[in-house]
């Protein structure tokens, strides 16, 4: 990416949503506990196709990377994740409903 | 706002946070699932997650500004900052974690600017989370190729006599720019000087504020 041609620097900024802050916190806490390193986080981000930078937001790319690192590290299985994601989706249609009490 | 949310309460009876009432995305669903799995497996607690968020929210460019103001006024501190940025900022009580912090100084003939071309590495434990533009593809791509034109977009136009040095951060090494001290500030104390130090001046996309006459 460094050195590629690109347009003007975007000047918009936004306040982070709570789910984004939680992704950030999970990265820091899991790294502190030795479940992956910052290099591991970056490896998955760098392996992503460039299109992901247009189609996904920053913390969306991060949760993908955190997930891949945790599965590779054996923290949980893909089956456990699938079951938990179904359970989450069944709670409701909004983040507020699905995130529980 | 397209509609009013005041009557919209969550199952617990509390109003939704404004960012909680949009349609659940797949990635949000994944965040909730991962967070709950980590709690169930006793890797983290909900309180630790909340605590980490609070710690991160508490960090701001004001922390970095205090370090810069100290460096401007205390030559012995500046020496320690040059020798070991991590240790010198820790000495001021900032918890900068395991990362190696390198302070780079702007002078009349040298301007430093920081980027992370690979991802978004940033001295987050000193300045808080990076601004969106720092993480943008455009900033990361162009800063290493045409730094002067990027700086000009930020309103920083440098004469050719000033060398521009671009620092590419890594996972383990974070840079903070010590901007040049504005002229005419000899009489100011540390707190007043810190007010002149902006976030962008510590990334290198800005200069310290000049003194209003």
């Amino acid at each position: 990416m460094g050195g590629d041609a690109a347009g003007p620097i975007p000047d918009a900024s936004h306040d982070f949503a709570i789910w984004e802050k939680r992704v950030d916190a999970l990265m820091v806490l899991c790294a502190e506990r030795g479940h992956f390193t910052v290099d591991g986080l970056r490896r998955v981000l760098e392996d992503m196709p460039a299109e992901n930078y247009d189609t996904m937001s920053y913390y969306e790319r991060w949760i993908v990377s955190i997930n891949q690192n945790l599965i590779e590290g054996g923290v949980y299985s893909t089956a456990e994740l699938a079951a938990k994601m179904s359970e989450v989706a069944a709670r409701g249609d909004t983040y507020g409903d699905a995130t529980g009490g | 706002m397209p509609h009013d949310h005041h009557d919209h309460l969550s199952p617990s009876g509390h109003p939704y946070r404004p960012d909680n009432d949009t349609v659940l995305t797949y990635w949000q669903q994944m965040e909730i699932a991962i967070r709950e799995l980590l709690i169930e497996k006793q890797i983290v607690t909900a309180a630790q997650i909340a605590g980490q968020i609070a710690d991160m929210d508490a960090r701001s460019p004001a922390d970095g500004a205090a370090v810069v103001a100290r460096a401007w006024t205390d030559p012995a501190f500046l020496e320690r900052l040059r020798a070991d940025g991590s240790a010198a900022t820790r000495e001021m009580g900032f918890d900068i974690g395991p990362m190696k912090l390198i302070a780079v100084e702007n002078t009349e003939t040298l301007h430093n600017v920081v980027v992370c071309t690979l991802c978004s590495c940033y001295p987050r434990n000193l300045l808080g989370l990076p601004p969106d533009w720092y993480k943008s593809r455009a900033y990361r791509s162009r800063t290493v190729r045409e730094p002067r034109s990027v700086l000009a977009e930020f309103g920083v136009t440098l004469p050719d006599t000033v060398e521009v040095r671009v620092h590419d951060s890594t996972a383990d090494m974070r840079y903070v720019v010590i901007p040049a001290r504005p002229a005419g500030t000899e009489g100011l104390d540390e707190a007043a000087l810190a007010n002149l130090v902006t976030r962008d001046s510590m990334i290198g996309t800005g200069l310290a504020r000049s003194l209003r006459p």
Side-chain angles (χ1 to χ4, degrees):
Chain A
M1 174 161 298
D4 290 353
I9 314 296
D11 60 0
S13 209
H14 79 291
D15 292 331
F16 295 103
I18 185 66
W19 87 272
E20 295 177 303
K21 292 183 179 187
R22 284 173 171 153
V23 172
D24 196 272
L26 292 179
M27 186 278 291
V28 172
L29 294 171
C30 288
E32 278 176 5
R33 285 155 179 72
H35 293 292
F36 58 82
T37 63
V38 178
D39 302 296
L41 179 82
R42 277 169 62 143
R43 171 180 53 83
V44 177
L45 295 170
E46 288 164 30
D47 282 348
M48 285 181 184
E51 304 90 80
N52 286 22
Y53 287 83
D54 296 324
T55 57
M56 296 171 75
S57 73
Y58 182 76
Y59 282 108
E60 287 175 349
R61 297 191 299 272
W62 270 39
I63 196 66
V64 168
S65 179
I66 289 168
N67 181 51
Q68 186 162 330
N69 275 278
L70 292 176
I71 287 173
E72 286 174 5
V75 175
Y76 52 77
S77 67
T78 50
E80 284 177 293
L81 177 69
K84 181 59 83 177
M85 283 184 71
S86 301
E87 184 189 321
V88 168
R91 291 181 195 149
D93 294 333
T94 68
Y95 185 79
D97 286 337
T99 202
Chain B
M1 294 288 286
H3 54 276
D4 195 330
H5 294 298
H6 287 298
D7 299 328
H8 191 185
L9 299 180
S10 74
S12 62
H14 295 94
Y16 285 117
R17 295 173 59 123
D19 47 28
N20 277 0
D21 58 1
T22 49
V23 175
L24 181 70
T25 68
Y26 178 79
W27 307 113
Q28 290 172 341
Q29 187 187 340
M30 183 180 276
E31 176 272 311
I32 298 168
I34 292 172
R35 174 160 45 90
E36 293 186 1
L37 285 170
L38 291 171
I39 292 170
E40 285 169 16
K41 291 175 183 291
Q42 301 187 326
I43 289 168
V44 296
T45 66
Q48 287 165 342
I49 296 168
Q52 170 60 28
I53 292 172
D55 286 351
M56 207 59 233
D57 279 349
R59 296 182 173 114
S60 82
D63 297 353
V67 171
V68 171
R70 175 80 48 98
W72 282 346
T73 52
D74 181 343
F77 177 77
L78 177 60
E79 278 308 312
R80 294 198 293 281
L81 188 65
R82 283 172 178 153
D84 185 340
S86 311
T89 47
R90 267 190 212 110
E91 161 194 324
M92 289 184 70
F94 297 119
D95 166 27
I96 71 145
M99 69 185 178
K100 181 170 169 56
L101 184 72
I102 299 172
V104 289
E105 294 162 72
N106 286 352
T107 67
E108 281 182 8
T109 54
L110 174 65
H111 184 91
N112 296 282
V113 60
V114 180
V115 65
C116 177
T117 55
L118 284 177
C119 178
S120 54
C121 294
Y122 183 79
R124 51 169 27 222
N125 282 21
L126 187 61
L127 304 184
L129 292 174
D132 284 353
W133 56 257
Y134 185 85
K135 304 182 288 186
S136 73
R137 209 172 161 176
Y139 182 75
R140 293 164 50 206
S141 301
R142 290 179 47 217
T143 302
V144 288
R145 173 189 285 258
E146 43 174 9
R148 285 177 196 271
S149 91
V150 169
L151 291 177
E153 280 178 41
F154 282 89
V156 177
T157 308
L158 298 168
D160 289 342
T161 50
V162 176
E163 178 191 344
V164 175
R165 199 170 286 171
V166 179
H167 301 272
D168 196 356
S169 311
T170 70
D172 308 308
M173 268 167 42
R174 311 296 167 95
Y175 295 93
V176 62
V177 175
I178 307 299
R181 181 170 172 167
T185 57
E186 293 74 16
L188 296 189
D189 65 13
E190 250 182 79
L193 286 168
N195 285 331
L196 303 177
V197 183
T198 63
R199 177 194 66 197
D200 287 6
S201 74
M202 292 181 283
I203 305 174
T205 53
L207 306 174
R209 290 189 186 102
S210 39
L211 211 52
R212 300 270 184 277

